[in-house]
Amino acid sequence: MIRFISTLLLPTIVLLLSGCGGKDETAYSGKIYTPTDKIATAFQYTQVPRPCRVFAETLAMLPANQSGKDIQNLVFKEAGAKGADLVLIGQSRKMEDDVESQFIYYGPEQEYLCAENWDGWKYGYDEWEDQGEWVNIGLSEWGNKTVFFEDPLMMQVAFLRCR
């Protein structure tokens, strides 16, 4: 009898406990390509070459006291480790609390052609709306070692594969 109950009960307990942890959005679960260190940047989806596919949509949380070059390096390091050869940069906002460099992943469930199916920055709204002032990180700031950001930032980023 005890053996029967444990055989029936143990899988149920494991199933229930596995649902308690919730989804770890910092853990990337999508497709990973061969790592690369050759990464291009686009600031508007219309700049993305036609064959490029979005395979990761993320909010990058970046620590305080970083230059534009530091921010580029942090994003490129993460993107390159996943095999992105292009990053699409969205908006940035100040964060109240300083953080270690972290990327919160939201999908997509399946990669898609950016030129045909880009639907904008529609993920992570709960985290995004709680942030502070807007911060401009565009062509003049991105990769610029003389531009300095004193506050921690949250940035919208998409990783793309174009090969």
Side-chain angles (χ1 to χ4, degrees), residues 30 39 48 60 68 79 83 92 101 131 135 159-160:
I39 304 168
V48 174
S92 300
S101 177
Q131 304 314 313
V135 177
F159 296 165
L160 295 90

Side-chain angles (χ1 to χ4, degrees), residues 10 37 58 66 70 75 91 118 122 134 141 149-150:
L10 186 59
D37 60 358
T58 181
Q66 302 291 313
D70 296 332
V75 172
Q91 297 292 318
W118 178 253
K122 302 205 182 238
W134 298 95
E141 296 79 19
F149 300 94
E150 293 178 4

Side-chain angles (χ1 to χ4, degrees), residues 23-32 55-61 74-75 77-84 102-108 123-124 127 157-159:
K23 180 184 175 199
D24 180 9
E25 292 175 328
T26 60
Y28 179 71
S29 62
K31 186 170 186 171
I32 296 177
F55 70 91
E57 298 166 334
T58 181
L59 290 177
M61 295 170 37
L74 289 169
V75 172
K77 180 180 178 185
E78 181 77 8
K82 306 292 186 271
Q102 183 178 14
F103 292 77
I104 304 171
Y105 289 94
Y106 294 93
Y123 55 86
E127 289 86 359
V157 184
F159 296 165

Side-chain angles (χ1 to χ4, degrees), residues 10 18 25 36 39 48-49 60 63 70 78-79 96 110 114-116 122 124 129 134 139 141 148 153 155-156 159 162:
L10 186 59
S18 67
E25 292 175 328
T36 184
I39 304 168
V48 174
D70 296 332
E78 181 77 8
E96 251 186 61
Q110 186 173 357
C114 185
E116 294 177 12
K122 302 205 182 238
E129 73 175 344
W134 298 95
L139 192 56
E141 296 79 19
F148 194 74
L153 302 175
M155 175 187 289
Q156 299 165 320
F159 296 165
C162 301

Side-chain angles (χ1 to χ4, degrees), residues 133-148:
E133 296 175 36
W134 298 95
V135 177
N136 186 45
I137 300 181
L139 192 56
S140 298
E141 296 79 19
W142 182 254
N144 188 333
K145 63 183 176 184
T146 65
V147 175
F148 194 74

